[in-house]
Amino acid sequence: MLNEEKIRIITKMVSYEQNIGKKNFAIGNYFKSDYIVWQMTKSFISVTIAYVVCLGVYFLYDFEVLIQDIYQMDLVQFARDILWKYIVCASIYMLLSYLLHITRYQKVRNSLKSYYRSLNELIKIYKKERMERIR
Amino acid sequence: MRTRGNNMVKLLLIKERMVELYNKNEVYITPAIKLMLALITLGMINTGLGYFALFNNILIVLAAALMCSFLPYSGILYVGMLFCMGHFYAIGVEALLVGAVAFFLIYILFIKFIAKEALVLAVLPLLFALKIPYVIPVLMGLIATPVSVVSLSCGVVAYYVIYHIDQNAATLSTMSADSAIQKLRIIIDAILNDKSLILTIIAFGLTMLVVYMVRRMQIEHAWTVGMISGYITSLIILLIGDLLFDLEQSILGMFVGIIVSFGITKVLEFFLFNVDYSRVESVQFEDDEYYYYVKAVPKISLSTPQKKVKKINAQDKKTYPY
């Protein structure tokens, strides 16, 4: 005899596993702190690469002026300016990234909680079926 | 009144049938939509830029569009970017460098924020070309979250980069190959000195937030009120910006664009408001006794209007105090 309730629950669970669940399980495998640290590391690398690329374009753009003024420039001050701008850009970006990932992690945990709730329901149904069979 | 009510029910029934049709044939309809979108996107890129002969070839366009129909929606964005880069390369290495850097920065910094909305990035430049970009911020305000400001801003930046490279293409092609840095400066200056770029980002961002806040209010016709507030916000900010920065934009064009956009958003509202486009799920699993092959079809039901019966002569005399 088919148990319709069981089929309904499994269908929803399998559908979840095959779609959004794939990504969520990957995130849910991490502890919150590990996930955030990993994502922040990736963000740090991204923003550093982006800054270096922008700097490269800036040097190309101002190439003639830089070549002319290179001997009159205070190179230490110039490097310090570049570093400060980098720190400001990176801080803003990392803050945004932190907010995004902490919200995302919380959403995923909530979504996984409802999946595990369905799993518990399913376990109960199986236990009940087994008991009926034994009787 | 009654005729209007009947018409509304007819329209809702048509919508219900369309959603049902979509749910049943989702496997074919989604790739067909992607194919159409890819063809329109690539066609418009070729019409607007069209410098690289290879990408103008209809067979290449068809092959690329067909490939997009099997990829996620973001595939249209990446193929579109590739086409743009091909055309930039035909203009000059400097144009390719600026375009590639802009796209690379959008990708490396922001794609994680907007992974689900990559299509906005592809569609927004197209709507700019059609003079109706105002649709997108309002639509995003209706269906998305405030994070979508990022995808809107990236879309605006992408459009302005493409626009300025295209605008300066003639100048760049007349310059000698030795003046590479000069060419680079021309493009970068044009992009960075364009005040309408910042103005558009502010206008679209605020419009989206206004629409988002209004549609979440507990008021009647929140979507329509949100739309109207959004378009008014866009119009006011763009007009003020136009006056402040003396941008010489066509105000009549802006008005017409906003009116057309409002019409388009109203049509889209009909298809998006209170509709579940959840897909038909075909899943397989097994337990100790059976193999299950389940096809789960989402239920759609049109609630029939409640008839209100007003009784005029049926008062209970016992309730009267006399």
Side-chain angles (χ1 to χ4, degrees):
Chain A
M1 182 77 183
L2 288 172
N3 183 338
E4 283 182 22
E5 180 62 13
K6 188 174 77 178
I7 295 171
R8 196 179 56 79
I9 294 171
I10 301 179
T11 305
K12 276 191 178 173
M13 287 173 67
V14 174
S15 161
Y16 179 80
E17 284 165 15
Q18 286 176 353
N19 296 303
I20 194 168
K22 271 184 203 167
K23 228 177 189 176
N24 288 356
F25 285 126
I27 295 174
N29 281 339
Y30 286 97
F31 286 113
K32 191 176 182 178
S33 54
D34 289 350
Y35 176 72
I36 298 297
V37 167
W38 174 232
Q39 292 304 325
M40 296 305 281
T41 311
K42 283 203 286 188
S43 297
F44 176 74
I45 295 168
S46 300
V47 75
T48 307
I49 294 172
Y51 193 78
V52 169
V53 169
C54 288
L55 211 59
V57 174
Y58 168 71
F59 283 137
L60 271 178
Y61 176 86
D62 247 358
F63 185 71
E64 287 163 2
V65 179
L66 285 169
I67 289 294
Q68 268 177 6
D69 297 349
I70 193 123
Y71 295 110
Q72 291 123 37
M73 275 167 72
D74 181 355
L75 287 175
V76 177
Q77 184 59 40
F78 182 66
R80 204 174 283 163
D81 280 352
I82 288 173
L83 192 67
W84 268 115
K85 280 173 190 161
Y86 168 68
I87 291 169
V88 171
C89 291
S91 307
I92 294 170
Y93 183 75
M94 301 277 279
L95 178 70
L96 288 175
S97 177
Y98 175 77
L99 292 175
L100 170 83
H101 289 113
I102 207 150
T103 319
R104 191 174 281 173
Y105 188 83
Q106 206 50 52
K107 271 187 190 168
V108 167
R109 291 303 299 181
N110 292 341
S111 155
L112 285 175
K113 261 182 206 167
S114 61
Y115 172 81
Y116 288 120
R117 221 173 288 137
S118 303
L119 193 65
N120 282 335
E121 267 180 59
L122 196 64
I123 291 169
K124 275 182 201 164
I125 291 174
Y126 271 114
K127 273 185 186 166
K128 203 174 151 190
E129 277 184 357
R130 201 174 297 152
M131 292 299 285
E132 279 169 9
R133 236 177 280 150
I134 292 167
R135 263 184 235 153
Chain B
M1 279 298 278
R2 201 171 172 180
T3 321
R4 198 181 158 199
N6 286 342
N7 286 341
M8 201 59 211
V9 171
K10 271 182 199 165
L11 279 173
L12 289 171
L13 280 168
I14 292 169
K15 179 163 92 169
E16 188 187 357
R17 272 190 210 124
M18 285 176 75
V19 173
E20 207 176 325
L21 192 78
Y22 175 81
N23 277 328
K24 272 186 187 160
N25 304 298
E26 192 262 341
V27 188
Y28 311 107
I29 293 175
T30 306
I33 291 172
K34 283 181 194 167
L35 182 73
M36 289 284 288
L37 261 174
L39 278 175
I40 294 169
T41 309
L42 301 179
M44 284 193 72
I45 289 171
N46 285 346
T47 315
L49 297 169
Y51 299 102
F52 194 43
L54 179 70
F55 283 165
N56 289 333
N57 187 330
I58 188 73
L59 288 175
I60 300 280
V61 174
L62 275 175
L66 207 62
M67 191 177 75
C68 288
S69 66
F70 297 107
L71 294 173
Y73 278 107
S74 53
I76 300 171
L77 170 70
Y78 298 124
V79 173
M81 278 182 173
L82 187 74
F83 267 62
C84 285
M85 303 250 249
H87 293 302
F88 294 161
Y89 174 71
I91 294 169
V93 183
E94 302 77 16
L96 175 66
L97 179 74
V98 174
V101 166
F103 291 156
F104 176 72
L105 290 180
I106 288 173
Y107 179 78
I108 200 170
L109 292 176
F110 301 115
I111 211 77
K112 72 176 85 165
F113 294 99
I114 56 168
K116 286 180 193 164
E117 293 162 8
L119 194 62
V120 172
L121 236 80
V123 171
L124 196 54
L126 298 185
L127 294 182
F128 263 109
L130 296 170
K131 313 283 181 206
I132 47 166
Y134 318 101
V135 173
I136 296 290
V138 174
L139 199 63
M140 297 305 283
L142 291 176
I143 59 171
T145 56
V147 181
S148 306
V149 167
V150 179
S151 57
L152 277 177
S153 308
C154 291
V156 173
V157 170
Y159 166 71
Y160 275 92
V161 168
I162 297 167
Y163 172 78
H164 283 297
I165 291 176
D166 183 39
Q167 287 295 302
N168 289 293
T171 318
L172 298 174
S173 57
T174 54
M175 292 169 80
S176 66
D178 301 337
S179 47
I181 291 174
Q182 280 302 320
K183 287 181 184 178
L184 197 72
R185 291 184 82 137
I186 286 174
I187 305 168
I188 293 175
D189 282 341
I191 297 166
L192 295 182
N193 295 332
D194 190 346
K195 292 191 180 77
S196 56
L197 165 63
I198 301 293
L199 180 70
T200 313
I201 289 176
I202 294 170
F204 282 11
L206 283 176
T207 300
M208 209 218 93
L209 292 176
V210 166
V211 178
Y212 175 76
M213 284 189 291
V214 174
R215 71 115 163 141
R216 283 170 62 92
M217 284 180 180
Q218 298 283 332
I219 52 170
E220 273 189 49
H221 308 295
W223 273 45
T224 310
V225 178
M227 266 183 232
I228 294 168
S229 337
Y231 284 118
I232 290 172
T233 310
S234 267
L235 193 65
I236 290 171
I237 297 171
L238 290 172
L239 283 177
I240 291 172
D242 194 57
L243 288 172
L244 281 179
F245 302 123
D246 202 18
L247 297 174
E248 292 175 5
Q249 287 176 333
S250 161
I251 292 174
L252 181 70
M254 204 189 294
F255 268 105
V256 174
I258 283 181
I259 290 165
V260 174
S261 301
F262 181 73
I264 293 170
T265 331
K266 275 307 273 181
V267 174
L268 290 173
E269 180 200 11
F270 179 72
F271 290 104
L272 295 172
F273 183 64
N274 210 10
V275 181
D276 180 16
Y277 282 100
S278 51
R279 302 186 318 164
V280 175
E281 296 285 354
S282 297
V283 293
Q284 296 174 25
F285 48 88
E286 60 179 291
D287 62 9
D288 297 341
E289 296 165 15
Y290 297 100
Y291 289 102
Y292 299 90
Y293 298 91
V294 181
K295 187 175 184 182
V297 182
K299 273 186 186 172
I300 302 157
S301 60
L302 181 66
S303 57
T304 48
Q306 293 282 319
K307 279 184 183 165
K308 213 176 182 179
V309 180
K310 193 177 180 184
K311 289 181 182 175
I312 299 167
N313 295 319
Q315 290 148 334
D316 188 355
K317 281 180 183 173
K318 282 177 192 171
T319 57
Y320 286 99
Y322 47 88

